[in-house]
Amino acid sequence: MKKYILILLSVIIALQMYAQNENLIQFVDPMIGTDGHAHTFPGATLPFGMVQLSPSNDFKEWDWCSGYHYSDTILKGFAHTHISGAGLAALGDILLMPTYGQLKIKPGTEEDPDSGFRSRFSHDREEATAGYYSVVLDDYNVKVELTCTPRVGFHRYTFNSAGQGNVIIDPTHNIMENVMETEVEILSDTEIRGWKHCNGEGGDRKVYFYAKFSKPFEKSGVAINDTIQKSLSKVTNRKVKAFVSFKLEVGEKVNVKVALSHVSYAGAKANFDAEAVGITFDQVWAKAKNLWEEKMNKVHIETDKISDKRNFYTALYHSMISPNLISDVTGEYVVEGEVYHSDFNQYSNFSTWDTYRAVHPLMAIIEQEKTTDFVNSLASRHSDSKVGLPVWECLGHDNVCMIGYSTVSVITDAIMKDIPGIDYQAAYNAMRAAAFNLEKHSNTYDVNGMNYYIKMDFVPGKIGSSVSKTTEYNYYDWCISQVARKLAKNDDMHLFRQRSKGYRNLFDRKSGYLLPKLQNGKLVEVDMSKWDGLVHNYVSGNIWGYSSYVPHDMGYLIRLHGGYHKFASWLDEIFTDTTEIGGSQHVDISGFIGKYGHGDEPSHQMPYLYVHAGQPWKTQKRVREILTRFYHDHPAGLNNNDDLGQMSSWYIFGALGFYPVCPGSNQYQVGSPAYQKASINLENGNVFTVVAKNNSDQNVYIQSAKFNGEEYTKPFITYQQIKNGGELVFEMGNQPNKNWGNAKADLEEMYGMKSLDDYKLHEEKQVLMPYSNDSTFSFEKSKWVELLCNTEGAEIRYTIDGSEPNLKSQKYEHPVQIRKDAMVKAKAFKKGLKESGTFIVQYLKGIPFNAETGYPKVTVEGNDIGYGNKTGVLLLDGGFGSTTFNDGFWTGIDLKDMNVDIDLGTTRSISEVKPGILIYPGAWIFNPNKIEVYVSNDQENYHLIKNISMDSPEDERRFIVRPSIQFQAVKCRFIKVKFKNGPIPDWHMAGGRKHWIFVDEILIN
């Protein structure tokens, strides 16, 4: 009997060891997310590596941001850098393409792949696993295999036909970048090097490569503009390529090793020498598998469904692709075009507006050594390169495509977890500087508004995405206050704690939403039936996510709503609201459950807010619903952009059963664990395990819980509990237990109830800004301007010449009449309060729309309006657009001319047409290269009365130009204005392409 027991124990131990050493990368499928809108790539990469070696095609539209989409049937080649899951397009550096037979130096087109070196392929002969990719090129019968080290891409080409094999080396390939210059040089019969100089989301940058082939070339050469240059081995030009050819036997293999550097030729060669010398393709592949296996084994899950394992481990894989290494083995790296040296590995590709929510909190648990490098890399942007913390950094360049200083969340979360190796003071200095930066303005979401925010604790509604900016900035300031407290910087702690409460100025008690607030104290009602106003005031139009985005101050937000029950009911309404919304929906908000949009990051905390509302069973239901509705193990299995792992990391936390609603707090709100068991193997040697007994698709509700054998009633866990290791056991059931996880004391501990009456709203500190109720600002002969102020007893001073008003300026006592173009500025003053901000409004002469007659009438030819009211009515509504393209005033057409027809209603004498034109290079909005004005009296016979040419802008500045097109007075009833679309200037990343034309308020005099 004893012998039988020993044998049984041995078998059990052996089975446990087998389970612990299970091959987990077999469940990683890099094809998940390559279809639909997730924008992942299938190629070979290592965790956080410099190289992402993947099939790469030309950018066709938004779903080709990664260079590959599952709908592809043609391949252009295999490039060495790609971004995983982003909503922006970039990189695609150094493309290689093996071919067979006749040499073709031109890529040809996808419509006619036989016209160049592209090839057809089939997913049936394509394979992707962690660290490896292969495909058979059908047109050439060549099998391509790819793997990599951190800085070197390894290619293996198997030519299945005897004869001439070729490899094209194309440094001009790009994913929506402007390639300005390239170089290739053939060094020997096995070596080639070169570089690509381009401008795009990664900034004005260079990438260098050094390539070594396993077989000497039979032929080689270089080309300029797809014309082979005889007798030359080195060329430098905007469009250069190289080629090599071999005589091959059936089944012969050619290996190519390609090292990258973002610094120099010397860096590329050093990276090659360190990572590629004396090592074979199979050895590198084995190392890649082992490294990914090590990463996957950081978390073990037990589930009966293979699909669960495929979803989970692919999500973990996607969570570990970025940030990416940018420093060479020498320690050199580039930030904003300058070379620096670092004693630690430097990283970039920080999409932190997305990833601070779940990716970095996950890494702070399972990848602390890397987190140290991430944080120190970020801090060095302030201490070393002096450019400040980035908003969205791509290869060392801050493209500022999003809003805020979200990196402070990543830094704070690491510091509050006492992750070793971080220079606290350097990190704090970087965070504090970011909180006062007035210069980082988004190309998509208007100016940052920090000049107002620093004074008012909120961003005023006249600025685009004002509510989103306010709530994000408030959370970031809370983060800084936490670190200030840790470092005993008490003055800063109080300063940033006060700033973190500014969202309270925006709360609308009637609706429960946070609404844009003007400096005059008015909340702006937002039309919930149309996307236009939503998109202007909230990133992605997500009023629902941002009205609940107060992760650091949930106790007070719930109080504003009137208590737990009312807040939970407000959430219920959002999750069940299925009303239709008209207008153009933003691409980033999708995956709806009611108005909860899982495809948009600012919503990601919402399902867990029921925990704060004392109804955790609703969190349990919603989380399990999201896990099953929006995550699937096929190429279209992700609902929207994976955003460098954020969607995937949300899945990881959701499946484990807890989520960091407020990174930096060291708390995780409990959800509903999706598996029978999950164990996190921590770097300190401890193991934190979550067990869900009686778990199933129906049994999603927590009945009770125990932590380390003791009853556990709190609806949250802490980082310290995870760090120390232990076992959290849930009993699950198919009906909610409404008595678990909602004890008042536990809730108050969770959101830290303290004094809630120490914050003054903005109007209690500063005079409210004057305003006018005018809705139209054009006039024909004269106009009366009335100024108002909502601060009782305030005195208004104004100017009409554009000068800044002060206490010596004209005192406002009655409406002011203006008879010519005027810039009206006004300020309000009251003793004991700060003076108001400056109210600024421009009035311009022009025939206004008359509501009684319905004239002038305007139409835009065709059905091409891509932005604004489809009728074109905004062009003559009397309102003037700002430098924000989505402010609701502009009319935009993409890629085409804009032809506008105006009917004055009666014959008038006119001598000037003065259109407003937006210049916004960051959003690909440029001026027309020519404007033509035609007149007619019968709407059939038009004659050209005047045309002007316009020069393209020379830099990224955004501004409004209003050219005065003057001509000898002519009597007419009908006017046609043609705005001609010309090429984007060469300095821009989209140089040579056509662009958006945005026009507003065509003034006619």
Side-chain angles (χ1 to χ4, degrees):
M1 184 67 179
K2 184 181 290 185
K3 183 177 180 181
Y4 173 77
I5 292 173
L6 289 173
I7 292 172
L8 182 61
L9 286 173
S10 298
V11 170
I12 291 172
I13 292 171
L15 288 173
Q16 288 176 336
M17 291 179 65
Y18 173 78
Q20 290 172 357
N21 294 310
E22 186 180 1
N23 172 20
L24 298 179
I25 64 169
Q26 67 176 306
F27 303 115
V28 174
D29 183 359
M31 283 296 173
I32 294 175
T34 59
D35 203 352
H37 307 303
H39 298 180
T40 63
F41 63 83
T45 190
L46 291 185
F48 317 111
M50 182 183 291
V51 167
Q52 304 85 37
L53 181 51
S54 188
S56 201
N57 280 324
D58 294 325
F59 181 85
K60 293 191 277 288
E61 55 186 70
W62 190 54
D63 282 332
W64 275 261
C65 285
S66 74
Y68 177 99
H69 193 262
Y70 197 76
S71 62
D72 285 329
T73 58
I74 309 292
L75 287 181
K76 182 183 180 184
F78 307 90
H80 290 75
T81 60
H82 298 87
I83 299 177
S84 179
L88 56 80
L91 312 187
D93 295 327
I94 318 304
L95 180 139
L96 272 64
M97 180 63 168
T99 70
Y100 171 79
Q102 179 186 357
L103 176 68
K104 296 178 181 178
I105 203 72
K106 293 181 179 181
T109 65
E110 291 203 8
E111 294 74 23
D112 182 15
D114 295 327
S115 63
F117 60 69
R118 298 176 198 263
S119 174
R120 299 164 183 85
F121 79 105
S122 168
H123 295 304
D124 293 336
R125 297 205 286 176
E126 185 181 31
E127 179 185 354
T129 61
Y132 174 83
Y133 172 87
S134 74
V135 67
V136 174
L137 302 176
D138 290 342
D139 288 3
Y140 306 121
N141 197 19
V142 174
K143 181 178 181 179
V144 175
E145 296 176 276
L146 310 174
T147 189
C148 64
T149 62
R151 300 173 178 89
V152 182
F154 287 70
H155 305 239
R156 182 162 67 189
Y157 308 141
T158 302
F159 292 83
N160 293 310
S161 301
Q164 179 174 308
N166 316 291
V167 179
I168 309 298
I169 301 95
D170 182 4
T172 69
H173 177 69
N174 67 91
I175 303 172
M176 195 47 71
E177 294 180 315
N178 178 24
V179 177
M180 296 179 283
E181 196 171 30
T182 52
E183 179 175 287
V184 288
E185 181 180 8
I186 300 172
L187 300 174
S188 71
D189 63 357
T190 58
E191 299 168 288
I192 295 178
R193 69 179 185 177
W195 48 256
K196 163 187 169 183
H197 180 198
C198 62
N199 186 22
E201 297 292 359
D204 186 338
R205 67 185 182 90
K206 272 188 174 182
V207 56
Y208 298 81
F209 74 93
Y210 170 84
K212 188 170 180 63
F213 290 74
S214 61
K215 182 180 178 69
F217 319 143
E218 184 85 9
K219 299 177 185 176
S220 62
V222 294
I224 298 176
N225 295 322
D226 293 331
T227 300
I228 294 174
Q229 307 296 302
K230 294 182 179 179
S231 303
L232 291 180
S233 60
K234 178 181 179 180
V235 287
T236 306
N237 200 282
R238 184 170 185 178
K239 188 177 179 182
V240 306
K241 294 188 182 78
F243 71 88
V244 298
S245 299
F246 316 88
K247 283 187 177 179
L248 299 166
E249 301 296 329
V250 174
E252 189 170 351
K253 292 177 171 58
V254 174
N255 287 273
V256 194
K257 304 174 182 179
V258 182
L260 297 186
S261 170
H262 299 288
V263 180
S264 65
Y265 274 142
K269 186 60 165 62
N271 292 339
F272 183 91
D273 291 343
E275 297 182 6
V277 173
I279 190 168
T280 67
F281 183 96
D282 287 331
Q283 289 171 327
V284 171
W285 182 13
K287 285 187 175 183
K289 285 192 289 188
N290 290 339
L291 181 55
W292 276 117
E293 193 68 70
E294 175 190 323
K295 299 304 183 185
M296 296 302 102
N297 273 276
K298 287 179 176 286
V299 186
H300 283 268
I301 65 170
E302 294 182 17
T303 173
D304 297 329
K305 297 180 180 178
I306 295 298
S307 61
D308 283 346
K309 292 185 177 182
R310 283 171 50 78
N311 282 327
F312 186 88
Y313 287 108
T314 301
L316 189 56
Y317 166 84
H318 280 143
S319 298
M320 291 184 161
I321 291 177
S322 297
N324 298 108
L325 181 67
I326 59 169
S327 55
D328 295 336
V329 293
T330 61
E332 290 186 313
Y333 66 102
V334 171
V335 168
E336 301 295 1
E338 299 294 327
V339 178
Y340 301 91
H341 185 273
S342 177
D343 294 330
F344 57 89
N345 283 336
Q346 281 279 343
Y347 291 85
S348 186
N349 294 350
F350 288 107
S351 179
T352 50
W353 180 86
D354 303 293
T355 57
Y356 81 78
R357 305 167 199 270
V359 175
H360 285 284
L362 179 62
M363 295 305 109
I365 296 173
I366 66 174
E367 278 285 344
Q368 294 200 339
E369 290 184 12
K370 279 289 186 288
T371 294
T372 297
D373 284 345
F374 299 158
V375 170
N376 287 336
S377 294
L378 290 169
S380 75
R381 304 300 188 262
H382 175 75
S383 60
D384 296 351
S385 51
K386 312 296 184 186
V387 297
L389 291 178
V391 177
W392 205 118
E393 188 182 87
C394 180
L395 295 185
H397 167 68
D398 188 2
N399 56 46
V400 201
C401 69
M402 294 307 299
I403 64 171
Y405 36 109
S406 55
T407 49
V408 305
S409 174
V410 177
I411 296 170
T412 295
D413 197 44
I415 289 176
M416 299 309 292
K417 287 178 169 56
D418 295 317
I419 293 177
I422 297 170
D423 185 333
Y424 286 4
Q425 189 59 54
Y428 183 78
N429 291 343
M431 290 193 293
R432 195 183 194 285
F436 291 94
N437 187 286
L438 305 179
E439 299 173 354
K440 290 183 180 283
H441 305 298
S442 170
N443 284 327
T444 308
Y445 299 106
D446 203 1
V447 296
N448 64 23
M450 286 297 292
N451 52 328
Y452 298 102
Y453 176 80
I454 290 168
K455 297 176 183 177
M456 302 162 55
D457 304 337
F458 69 93
V459 176
K462 70 175 185 177
I463 292 174
S465 304
S466 64
V467 178
S468 300
K469 289 169 183 170
T470 297
T471 59
E472 297 270 359
Y473 297 175
N474 283 180
Y475 164 66
Y476 306 149
D477 285 344
W478 174 85
C479 287
I480 298 172
S481 76
Q482 294 298 97
V483 178
R485 177 171 60 85
K486 187 180 183 75
L487 301 182
K489 298 179 182 292
N490 293 330
D491 289 345
D492 274 5
M493 177 189 71
H494 291 297
L495 167 68
F496 289 108
R497 184 175 289 171
Q498 285 296 307
R499 279 176 42 163
S500 76
K501 301 170 184 177
Y503 78 91
R504 299 179 188 179
N505 290 277
L506 312 185
F507 185 76
D508 177 41
R509 293 185 181 276
K510 181 180 178 182
S511 66
Y513 291 114
L514 300 182
L515 299 179
K517 188 172 190 175
L518 302 176
Q519 287 175 272
N520 61 25
K522 288 186 175 182
L523 288 174
V524 179
E525 289 192 21
V526 178
D527 186 351
M528 301 284 285
S529 67
K530 298 178 181 177
W531 281 107
D532 303 66
L534 295 174
V535 169
H536 174 59
N537 294 292
Y538 309 83
V539 171
S540 305
N542 194 347
I543 185 174
W544 311 277
Y546 273 116
S547 291
S548 62
Y549 193 73
V550 191
H552 59 290
D553 201 28
M554 286 304 302
Y556 199 90
L557 180 66
I558 289 170
R559 177 172 287 191
L560 288 174
H561 275 270
Y564 300 134
H565 180 74
K566 288 185 177 180
F567 181 66
S569 296
W570 180 80
L571 288 174
D572 289 342
E573 290 178 7
I574 291 174
F575 277 96
T576 56
D577 179 2
T578 57
T579 57
E580 293 290 327
I581 299 179
S584 300
Q585 178 179 326
H586 194 281
V587 293
D588 282 337
I589 189 165
S590 59
F592 286 104
I593 300 176
K595 289 298 181 291
Y596 168 78
H598 189 67
D600 193 41
E601 278 76 9
S603 294
H604 278 183
Q605 84 289 349
M606 287 186 71
Y608 291 89
L609 298 187
Y610 284 112
V611 172
H612 288 276
Q615 297 183 12
W617 61 91
K618 292 181 179 177
T619 288
Q620 294 154 27
K621 174 187 174 183
R622 290 301 182 191
V623 169
R624 292 290 282 273
E625 181 182 4
I626 293 166
L627 290 173
T628 56
R629 279 184 62 173
F630 300 132
Y631 296 87
H632 306 282
D633 64 332
H634 55 71
L638 298 181
N639 170 252
N640 207 331
N641 303 162
D642 194 38
D643 285 317
L644 286 78
Q646 171 58 26
M647 288 289 170
S648 292
S649 289
W650 192 98
Y651 181 90
I652 296 295
F653 275 118
L656 291 175
F658 53 91
Y659 186 83
V661 167
C662 184
S665 69
N666 286 344
Q667 286 184 0
Y668 307 85
Q669 279 56 47
V670 171
S672 175
Y675 312 133
Q676 290 95 319
K677 184 178 181 180
S679 299
I680 303 174
N681 301 307
L682 301 164
E683 289 171 308
N684 64 9
N686 293 333
V687 178
F688 181 78
T689 300
V690 178
V691 177
K693 294 183 176 180
N694 198 32
N695 199 10
S696 69
D697 291 342
Q698 293 74 39
N699 294 350
V700 303
Y701 297 105
I702 295 172
Q703 306 300 300
S704 63
K706 289 184 177 181
F707 182 67
N708 289 341
E710 300 289 329
E711 183 180 2
Y712 195 77
T713 61
K714 295 178 181 180
F716 67 95
I717 60 174
T718 67
Y719 169 69
Q720 199 63 42
Q721 288 174 297
I722 296 173
K723 178 183 177 181
N724 292 342
E727 186 177 65
L728 180 61
V729 179
F730 296 103
E731 290 285 345
M732 309 299 290
N734 61 8
Q735 296 296 320
N737 177 3
K738 297 183 180 181
N739 295 315
W740 183 87
N742 54 7
K744 183 179 180 181
D746 291 338
L747 294 177
E748 291 185 353
E749 179 187 350
M750 180 173 61
Y751 50 66
M753 292 294 289
K754 294 184 174 68
S755 172
L756 299 174
D757 302 316
D758 61 345
Y759 181 76
K760 290 185 177 181
L761 298 178
H762 169 62
E763 49 260 47
E764 298 172 304
K765 298 184 288 186
Q766 182 178 16
V767 181
L768 294 172
M769 192 172 74
Y771 65 97
S772 166
N773 283 325
D774 284 342
S775 59
T776 61
F777 304 94
S778 61
F779 62 96
E780 189 167 4
K781 294 180 179 178
S782 67
K783 184 174 181 68
W784 290 95
V785 178
E786 182 182 17
L787 298 175
L788 305 161
C789 181
N790 286 334
T791 298
E792 187 176 351
E795 180 180 275
I796 300 174
R797 301 279 177 163
Y798 73 94
T799 64
I800 60 173
D801 60 0
S803 62
E804 188 69 14
N806 55 42
L807 280 169
K808 295 182 179 180
S809 300
Q810 181 71 37
K811 182 180 178 180
Y812 178 81
E813 296 177 317
H814 51 72
V816 180
Q817 188 178 28
I818 56 175
R819 293 185 173 87
K820 60 182 181 179
D821 291 356
M823 177 74 75
V824 176
K825 292 187 176 183
K827 266 189 179 180
F829 302 85
K830 184 177 181 180
K831 189 174 181 179
L833 295 177
K834 294 180 182 178
E835 64 184 45
S836 77
T838 305
F839 171 67
I840 304 173
V841 63
Q842 187 171 35
Y843 293 92
L844 298 174
K845 291 194 72 174
I847 300 173
F849 174 76
N850 187 319
E852 293 182 2
T853 66
Y855 290 95
K857 290 182 177 178
V858 61
T859 57
V860 178
E861 288 184 14
N863 189 31
D864 299 322
I865 293 178
Y867 216 96
N869 192 297
K870 301 295 183 182
T871 67
V873 67
L874 296 176
L875 294 167
L876 281 172
D877 66 347
F880 299 155
S882 68
T883 54
T884 305
F885 68 85
N886 60 355
D887 63 6
F889 289 97
W890 293 99
T891 299
I893 284 181
D894 191 19
L895 303 177
K896 298 181 180 180
D897 298 344
M898 181 187 292
N899 297 326
V900 180
D901 291 300
I902 300 168
D903 179 357
L904 298 176
T906 184
T907 300
R908 304 285 299 267
S909 177
I910 67 168
S911 59
E912 181 187 41
V913 173
K914 194 158 59 170
I917 296 169
L918 178 62
I919 312 294
Y920 198 156
W924 295 20
I925 301 170
F926 288 83
N927 56 272
N929 64 348
K930 182 182 289 186
I931 303 175
E932 299 172 348
V933 179
Y934 298 80
V935 296
S936 172
N937 279 303
D938 59 9
Q939 211 171 7
E940 291 183 3
N941 300 298
Y942 283 90
H943 70 273
L944 177 67
I945 193 72
K946 189 68 179 285
N947 68 77
I948 65 168
S949 297
M950 298 186 69
D951 294 329
S952 297
E954 298 178 351
D955 53 42
E956 290 276 359
R957 286 179 304 144
R958 73 177 93 168
F959 57 95
I960 297 169
V961 62
R962 192 175 290 279
S964 175
I965 307 172
Q966 298 180 0
F967 40 86
Q968 189 171 353
V970 59
K971 290 185 177 181
C972 66
R973 174 176 171 176
F974 302 101
I975 305 168
K976 186 187 293 288
V977 186
K978 295 185 177 182
F979 301 89
K980 297 293 186 177
N981 199 319
I984 294 175
D986 286 344
W987 61 262
H988 191 268
M989 73 172 78
R993 300 176 176 90
K994 290 193 174 183
H995 51 82
W996 282 94
I997 294 176
F998 269 60
V999 179
D1000 180 48
E1001 212 53 33
I1002 301 175
L1003 298 171
I1004 301 168
N1005 289 302

